[in-house]
Structure formats: C-alpha cells, structure tokens
Amino acid sequence: MELKEQLLNLKMIMFGGKGGVGKTSCAASSGIWAAEHGRNTLIISTDPAHSLGDSLGMELPPGEPTPVDGVDNLTALEINPKAKFAELQELTDMNPIKSLGMDGMMGGMMEGMLEGMMEGGEGGGSLSPPGIDEALAFGKVLEFIEKDHDYDLIVFDTAPTGHTLRLLSLPETLSGWIGKILQLRLRMGKMFGALKRMFTKEEKKEENPLELLKQMKDAILNARDDLTNPEINSFVIVMIAEEMAISETGRLLNELVKYDIPTSNMVVNQLYQNAEELCDFCKSRRGMQQKNLNKIKEIFQQRLGKNLIEVPLFKGEIREYTTLKEMGEFLVK
Ligand SMILES: Nc1ncnc2c1ncn2[C@@H]1O[C@H](COP(=O)(O)OP(=O)(O)OP(=O)(O)O)[C@@H](O)[C@H]1O
Ligand SMILES: [Mg+2]
C-alpha cells in the first residue's frame, strides 16, 4: 500500500530511522496531510528534545494532547520518556526490600546482599531495572493507543533506530524483569519471612507494583497485536542516500521482520536535485547520493519490494506549516 493510501486508511503510522534523517519532519508533514484530508489525526513523539513542537512551531506541554494551530483535526502530543508517572512511581523505584516491608537497618543490610544476587546490578543502589523510565514511557504510549479515543489516525514519530528496536522487545523485557523480581521476592520471602514479622510492626497493605507491571505488559501485548497488523499499522523507514544509512536500514528492516511489524514504504530524504544548478561541492554530493540511491533501489525496491519515496533536499529548513505541507506533497506523490 502506498503511503497516501496508508494515511487515508490505517490507524497508525510509525516513522523511524537513524538520527537526523527527517523522521520528525515526515511525521509532522504526514500528519498535516492526513488531517487536511479529513482524518482526525494525533502525532505522538517521545523525543525529550521537544523537536515535534519545534517542527510544528508551537509549544507542546509534555503529556498534554494539544491542537495544532491553523490545522483542523490535528493534535500533537509529546511524552517525555524520562518523566515520572505518578501512578508508576513505585515501579520506577522498585525495590524488593521496600516491597517486602523491610526498611531501616535490616533493609540496608539485605540490600547489599541482594545486589550481589541480582545479576547486572547496575544503577548503584537502585534495584530498579535499567532503562525502566523510558520503557514505561513507551508503555504509556502503547496504552494510550489501546485506549478508546476519537482519533482516526495516530502518527508516531519514533526515537532514532537503536532505541526503537529496544522498545519493540519491551514485553519480553518486562517479562524478564517480572520473573526476576518475583523470584527474588519468593526467595527473600521464604528466607526472611520470620524476620520480617519481627521487624515490621503492622502488616503493610500489599499494594502490589508487580500487578501494575503485569497489567502494563498485557496492554503492551495487546498493542503489539495492533502494531503487527498490516490493516492497522505500518512502519515507514526514513533514510538518506548514504552508504552507512544503507547498512543501518538493513538492520532496522531485519528487526522489523523479527517483530512482525509491517513495513512497505521507505523515504529517501534530502536528495540533491537539478545537477545544472549545483556548485562543484553539491555536484559531488549529488553524485554520491545517486550512486547510493541506485543501490537502495536495487536492494530495497527490486529485491525486497519496498515502495521508495524520494524527497528532495529543500533550500531551507523544513519547519512550520508551509514547508511541512510542501514536504507532505512529496510524501504522497
Ligand atoms: N528534505 C529536507 N530538506 C531540507 N532540510 C531537511 C529535510 N528533511 C529534514 N530536514 C531538516 O533536517 C533537520 C532534521 O530533521 P528532523 O528533525 O525531521 O530529523 P529526525 O530524524 O527527526 O531527527 P532526530 O533523529 O534528531 O529526531 C531539521 O532541521 C529539518 O528541517
Ligand atoms: Mg526527530
């Protein structure tokens, strides 16, 4: 399906690729195009650099879906991946000692022992799994997608490659954490059950962070059903015509296949045009790009059957409505 059809029919489109290639610009311009073609559209970004707001030329208060000025049917949302979500606070400082109800001196002693027992115990003193903040932010995005909402289309501006891939395996990672923590609690519970009763005055009401973690995992697994359904979602790889980008794109495609994420369109961005108008420097860059573009066509179009969308290098920055709209026309051409 061509990108135009996808923007008109799918529920979700994700833009991803290497850093700086044009993911945010593509997401914003596609969002504008879809909204102007009658679809109630939400663009979501988890970039802590607030680049979506910059691209649209407006302030986006973190975590608040904000209507985009001057475009009907378009809302933008930035989620800070480092944000602490109140209801998940307990998870981000998850600590098996505390959750056993053993604070103070006893807790301190056991904490040392525990750290030895946890493999890969990075994060000095904190026993929460590494990267949990970002993972939870992504989980929030997926939960949001799963919730009932009025949007026809969600355009997702993803973080640069490595990051996206790590997050796609989130359900497994969460299972891993859950398993580890459960195991620990079981062991600690058995070993120190008697001590615990001695040292804690009253039985603490067990507000179980594991339950929350499990719920989130389920929400993510549901979201993954959607992410992997070609009638619902498609991942658009954005790249530039450089040798390094080709190998990186190959790896990204492999991962998408591994996680069953449908992908049919690829954007080759920032291509130099009209050779006659160019200076020597730019001519040489254009030559390099054309050589790589041919390779890209051979590998991704001919061999793998992807749709290639070529977008020219604009004279100026792509930013705010007019240039974003212009870029959108290339994307759906
Ligand atoms: N076709 C183009 N012509 C000219 N400038 C472009 C083009 N595409 C993107 N840019 C510019 O390149 C810069 C990076 O684009 P953008 O922010 O969309 O990339 P990104 O992939 O989202 O980056 P990041 O990985 O940092 O999130 C921006 O300043 C944007 O205006
Ligand atoms: Mg970006």
Side-chain angles (χ1 to χ4, degrees), residues 162-277:
H163 211 81
T164 314
L165 301 181
R166 199 147 49 82
L167 294 177
L168 288 175
S169 59
L170 193 56
E172 283 78 12
T173 311
L174 282 180
S175 300
W177 290 339
I178 293 173
K180 229 182 233 175
I181 291 164
L182 267 180
Q183 218 183 359
L184 260 177
R185 290 187 72 176
L186 215 73
R187 266 151 99 180
M188 301 311 293
K190 275 195 189 129
M191 281 160 69
F192 297 106
L195 278 175
K196 179 187 166 187
R197 279 188 290 280
M198 269 169 65
F199 279 87
T200 48
K201 277 145 224 118
E202 73 241 48
E203 208 47 53
K204 242 193 192 168
K205 197 181 147 274
E206 200 83 349
E207 217 274 85
N208 196 349
L210 282 173
E211 230 10 81
L212 258 175
L213 204 52
K214 279 190 204 140
Q215 275 167 21
M216 178 173 259
K217 190 187 119 196
D218 289 343
I220 291 167
L221 283 174
N222 284 339
R224 205 154 74 173
D225 283 345
D226 285 348
L227 291 179
T228 53
N229 183 344
E231 310 213 321
I232 293 180
N233 177 42
S234 186
F235 194 105
V236 179
I237 297 180
V238 185
M239 67 184 298
I240 50 176
E242 290 183 7
E243 183 91 41
M244 264 172 74
I246 299 178
S247 36
E248 175 131 4
T249 300
R251 282 195 293 275
L252 175 53
L253 260 180
N254 274 338
E255 292 293 305
L256 292 170
V257 168
K258 181 168 137 197
Y259 292 112
D260 250 345
I261 311 279
T263 168
S264 50
N265 290 293
M266 290 174 53
V267 176
V268 188
N269 192 19
Q270 304 182 16
L271 289 167
Y272 279 91
Q273 306 295 298
N274 317 327
E276 316 83 57
E277 280 177 22

Side-chain angles (χ1 to χ4, degrees), residues 122-149:
E122 37 189 307
S126 159
L127 292 168
S128 63
I132 193 165
D133 293 356
E134 287 163 11
L136 292 177
F138 188 66
K140 291 294 274 184
V141 171
L142 295 185
E143 270 188 306
F144 188 87
I145 290 168
E146 284 307 292
K147 254 189 348 210
D148 277 336
H149 55 68

Side-chain angles (χ1 to χ4, degrees), residues 18-25 47 160 269-270 312-314 316-318:
K18 247 165 77 85
V21 292
K23 300 176 293 294
T24 302
S25 309
D47 189 345
N269 192 19
Q270 304 182 16
L313 179 68
F314 283 44
E317 226 179 323
I318 298 194

Side-chain angles (χ1 to χ4, degrees), residues 40-55:
N40 188 14
T41 304
L42 173 73
I43 314 177
I44 301 184
S45 156
T46 53
D47 189 345
H50 307 296
S51 55
L52 180 60
D54 288 345
S55 177

